[in-house]
Amino acid sequence: IRVHCGRGVFRGGGSQTSCDSFEFHRGEPSWDMKQLLAWIRVNLLKERPELFVQGDTVRPGILVLINDADWELMGELEYQLQDQDNVVFISTLHGG
Amino acid sequence: MCEVDEENSGCLQSRSVPGVCKMCVKCKENTAVLIIRVGDAFCRSCFKEYFVHKFRAMLGKNRVIFPGEKVLLTVSGGAASSSMLAQVQEGLGRDAPKKLRFIPAIIYIDEGGVCGQDPEEREETVAQLETIFRKTGFPYHIISLEQVFSLPSSVLEPVPGGARQPGGDYKAAVDQYIQQSKLKQKRGEASVEEAQDSLTHLNIYSPPSPEHTQTLQRLFSTLKTLTAKEDLLQTLRQHLILHTARTHGYSKVMMGDSCTRLAIKLLTNISLGRGASLAADTGFSDSRYGDVVVVRPMRDYSSKEITFYNRLFGVESVFTPSLDTKAPDKASIQRLTESFIIKLQADFPSTVSTIYRTSEKLHTASSPQNSSAEPSAKCLLCLCAADTKAEEASAFQATLLSERLSVGKAQSDPAHSNPASSNPASSNPAGSCCQEQGCGAGGCCSTSRIPAPTDLKTLLCYSCRLTIKDLITVEALPHYITSEAEKRQRRAQMKEEIGEFLLDEDEDAE
């Protein structure tokens, strides 16, 4: 499957070092959001990951949109990524 | 205590695991795209309707902005203010059923100089914003923060509040406006005139001189804490906006504070000792400047709503780093409060609205005497009524006393022998040591032109005193602040000298 991840206005603090958007490919079985976040944390956040992820989930104040819809409607961490999904992270915090 | 908290946390876990793919609660036809409050899921079109309506309802309900009035929109490039700009543009659009009738202009304050942007980055940001502003067709002002060094001291002079009160007056003004615009339309000149107006008012951005940037950076580097830096930045920004509004005749200034931001501001300001001016700092309208009124039309939106609106309906915003970008949670009081509220909000979704509703209930007890009060009764920096005229048995005096006692042990206190000081703060030894320094350099205190920190402090409210206390030297402050301080001091001194010959104001009135 192919998933597109990107960030809207978010230059979120430490994760500025990572690329603005990326695509990744993965065969079956598909990942859920929890695995995706863990993967981002390990592979993309070089500086101060706590500004993006806290515990299993994203830092409070960062919105997650899956195909332009609130991830709270999609089951949040349990959401199973599907082919051509578009995941966007937007920070609402002061200073981005 | 801790045990009790742990027991409670079990039953307070209020957040349920969200359901998957709900329907919109409003139209019950389309799939919802976001949850606004607990259980309220909206679809795309219902959300847009709700969002647009809320903005106009906010302005309509408060009846503060009169038709035909010149309004300055403060846009930082961030999500909330960009969204406000989009709403104003939408509301002024011809097909909108409830058209907004004021004349807008945009102001952007370029703070790149203190927020660590180099000149190229600043120009790039400005260019990006200019493209957005040009698309709106509104006149715009782009001002660099460095221009605080050329502000006149009149910015800080209090202006008596406008006598115009909303209410019956408002309807008359609306009727008058409608008649006038009908006349104009008959002559068919309205649109042409407006277009010309907006072209002539364009304010082209000129990059600040490197010397000014350096002076500004020096000023901020003399502040020890990020808390004070953020506070000072806000004060200076406010002065620039106020000055621009006055020189160009804007009687209203719109700020894009969201409800989330205001909740953070409320708790931050309490922690900063600004309790006395909470109502002015967080309310819908803020008339502390007298002739220019600040309104906050975005205060009903949460930052989530704003972010979603911008994303779903393509509202552009520009990212600019702020002082606390990349800062850790505990870097400043402002930052810490933000992370506290946002974290609480994640588990208890009604946190922000509860705090926000509290702020709605606050009012300034402004007696008629207050608005006509003498200049010295207002804080030099934030222009709020100074809260330092507290009585003997107040927490404020107790703080001053304990500060004096704890510092007093370390050194002798020559300021006590100063007969001219009527305010207890001016006998504060922390300042007296600076006065001694002044004596060493200038020869004599009385001839020194720049007021010592103590002198400045007597003109400030409690919270601004704390900020200035953090400053190593007041000499770095922009000239308009020091000169206005000097002027107020001379006036106070003169008043004291001639005090016994003056008639009591109360007697005068009778």
Side-chain angles (χ1 to χ4, degrees):
Chain A
I1 63 161
R2 234 175 99 196
V3 175
H4 181 262
C5 287
R7 292 189 310 226
V9 217
F10 178 44
R11 297 282 164 95
S15 44
Q16 208 156 16
T17 42
S18 73
C19 52
D20 261 344
S21 64
F22 62 93
E23 283 189 7
F24 75 91
H25 305 260
R26 208 188 129 76
E28 296 291 327
S30 156
W31 268 357
D32 59 15
M33 284 302 288
K34 202 171 182 171
Q35 286 165 305
L36 174 69
L37 286 174
W39 184 82
I40 291 178
R41 185 188 178 125
V42 173
N43 293 292
L44 293 174
L45 306 177
K46 295 183 176 64
E47 194 192 330
R48 309 248 302 282
E50 75 276 9
L51 291 174
F52 181 69
V53 273
Q54 278 177 8
D56 279 349
T57 186
V58 289
R59 178 184 180 197
I62 293 176
L63 299 178
V64 184
L65 282 77
I66 303 170
N67 301 327
D68 275 352
D70 197 344
W71 79 327
E72 288 179 31
L73 286 161
M74 323 282 271
E76 298 191 14
L77 291 169
E78 273 104 67
Y79 176 75
Q80 291 287 324
L81 288 167
Q82 278 151 39
D83 195 23
Q84 302 297 326
D85 268 353
N86 186 6
V87 182
V88 182
F89 301 97
I90 307 177
S91 167
T92 63
L93 299 166
H94 198 240
Chain B
M1 277 303 281
C2 294
E3 279 174 8
V4 176
D5 283 346
E6 273 164 30
E7 275 170 28
N8 278 346
S9 67
C11 47
L12 282 174
Q13 280 300 331
S14 51
R15 228 173 125 210
S16 53
V17 178
V20 176
C21 284
K22 278 187 192 166
M23 284 294 161
C24 168
V25 290
K26 214 169 175 190
C27 62
K28 298 184 175 71
E29 281 170 14
N30 300 322
T31 323
V33 291
L34 89 154
I35 299 178
I36 296 173
R37 291 169 296 259
V38 199
D40 280 6
F42 274 63
C43 71
R44 201 181 137 100
S45 61
C46 289
F47 173 60
K48 184 172 187 180
E49 203 177 294
Y50 154 90
F51 196 92
V52 171
H53 171 76
K54 208 148 112 172
F55 187 78
R56 278 179 231 161
M58 193 63 174
L59 290 178
K61 186 176 76 186
N62 287 287
R63 296 188 160 193
V64 179
I65 297 179
F66 284 63
E69 200 167 6
K70 283 175 85 181
V71 177
L72 193 60
L73 312 171
T74 57
V75 178
S76 66
S81 56
S82 302
S83 188
M84 175 177 77
L85 180 61
Q87 285 307 305
V88 169
Q89 214 184 337
E90 228 260 358
L92 288 163
R94 273 162 203 271
D95 53 336
K98 278 186 179 173
K99 203 178 161 187
L100 297 176
R101 296 197 199 87
F102 54 83
I103 303 165
I106 306 166
I107 183 170
Y108 167 69
I109 309 278
D110 166 29
E111 295 156 6
V114 289
C115 298
Q117 276 184 300
D118 57 37
E120 288 82 47
E121 283 173 328
R122 295 176 71 174
E123 260 175 63
E124 197 185 311
T125 310
V126 167
Q128 278 179 315
L129 281 160
E130 270 192 300
T131 13
I132 296 179
F133 294 167
R134 247 187 236 123
K135 272 185 219 158
T136 64
F138 303 155
Y140 57 88
H141 308 270
I142 294 180
I143 291 174
S144 63
L145 191 66
E146 281 82 350
Q147 289 186 30
V148 287
F149 293 107
S150 41
L151 278 181
S153 63
S154 59
V155 179
L156 303 175
E157 277 169 20
V159 176
R164 244 191 343 184
Q165 287 293 318
D169 239 11
Y170 182 81
K171 269 199 167 158
V174 174
D175 290 342
Q176 201 189 350
Y177 176 81
I178 292 173
Q179 277 180 352
Q180 273 176 359
S181 56
K182 268 183 192 158
L183 277 174
K184 266 188 192 167
Q185 265 174 3
K186 269 183 197 162
R187 288 185 230 141
E189 62 188 21
S191 54
V192 183
E193 201 179 298
E194 272 170 38
Q196 276 177 344
D197 218 35
S198 61
L199 279 177
T200 49
H201 276 270
L202 278 183
N203 206 334
I204 305 301
Y205 170 77
S206 55
S209 70
E211 296 88 61
H212 274 160
T213 310
Q214 274 176 12
T215 327
L216 191 70
Q217 278 163 352
R218 207 177 311 134
L219 168 64
F220 277 83
S221 65
T222 56
L223 285 167
K224 281 170 277 177
T225 61
L226 187 61
T227 306
K229 278 182 195 170
E230 285 187 29
D231 199 47
L232 183 70
L233 176 62
Q234 189 183 331
T235 308
L236 296 180
R237 185 199 298 136
Q238 210 65 31
H239 290 167
L240 272 178
I241 293 170
L242 178 64
H243 178 68
T244 315
R246 279 192 182 145
T247 45
H248 293 88
Y250 300 105
S251 47
K252 296 276 156 37
V253 171
M254 273 191 187
M255 311 271 265
D257 296 285
S258 66
C259 134
T260 316
R261 181 77 15 226
L262 283 172
I264 294 166
K265 214 167 156 187
L266 185 93
L267 288 197
T268 304
N269 285 1
I270 292 176
S271 325
L272 290 174
R274 296 191 54 82
S277 38
L278 272 185
D281 285 338
T282 57
F284 174 76
S285 79
D286 171 4
S287 50
R288 75 175 83 163
Y289 304 118
D291 52 347
V292 177
V293 178
V294 176
V295 287
R296 302 185 178 92
M298 301 301 283
R299 71 194 298 271
D300 252 1
Y301 300 101
S302 71
S303 57
K304 182 178 176 182
E305 287 170 43
I306 291 172
T307 316
F308 262 89
Y309 186 88
N310 288 0
R311 169 82 197 169
L312 293 179
F313 302 102
V315 177
E316 287 174 90
S317 56
V318 176
F319 171 80
T320 44
S322 64
L323 277 174
D324 56 2
T325 297
K326 286 196 184 190
D329 278 355
K330 287 173 189 161
S332 71
I333 292 180
Q334 289 88 340
R335 187 80 181 177
L336 186 61
T337 318
E338 179 182 37
S339 88
F340 169 67
I341 291 184
I342 301 291
K343 275 181 191 159
L344 209 54
Q345 170 80 7
D347 288 328
F348 306 99
S350 52
T351 305
V352 165
S353 60
T354 309
I355 302 173
Y356 162 72
R357 298 287 165 219
T358 315
S359 81
E360 262 189 336
K361 292 180 178 65
L362 296 169
H363 293 284
T364 21
S366 61
S367 56
Q369 290 165 318
N370 227 353
S371 53
S372 61
E374 51 182 317
S376 57
K378 294 220 171 173
C379 169
L380 183 71
L381 287 181
C382 68
L383 300 163
C384 280
D387 51 359
T388 48
K389 289 259 154 54
E391 49 195 286
E392 198 95 343
S394 63
F396 173 63
Q397 298 295 357
T399 314
L400 284 181
L401 182 71
S402 83
E403 190 185 312
R404 197 157 65 218
L405 290 176
S406 52
V407 185
K409 273 179 202 158
Q411 51 193 206
S412 64
D413 194 356
H416 272 311
S417 57
N418 187 355
S421 64
S422 54
N423 195 314
S426 61
S427 56
N428 169 353
S432 73
C433 89
C434 294
Q435 268 178 351
E436 279 165 358
Q437 282 170 3
C439 285
C444 177
C445 285
S446 55
T447 56
S448 147
R449 292 256 94 189
I450 297 156
T454 353
D455 300 331
L456 198 59
K457 263 193 213 162
T458 59
L459 303 168
L460 301 174
C461 68
Y462 176 67
S463 166
C464 292
R465 278 183 196 195
L466 294 181
T467 304
I468 292 301
K469 206 158 103 188
D470 208 52
L471 201 65
I472 297 167
T473 163
V474 283
E475 280 162 53
L477 280 177
H479 181 68
Y480 72 99
I481 295 177
T482 42
S483 71
E484 173 69 12
E486 220 179 297
K487 201 163 113 196
R488 283 195 197 180
Q489 261 157 16
R490 275 203 306 268
R491 204 177 292 155
Q493 210 178 347
M494 192 192 284
K495 207 164 184 184
E496 211 166 282
E497 280 167 17
I498 60 168
E500 48 185 301
F501 305 111
L502 284 177
L503 290 173
D504 199 6
E505 269 176 38
D506 293 338
E507 282 174 33
D508 211 38
E510 280 165 22

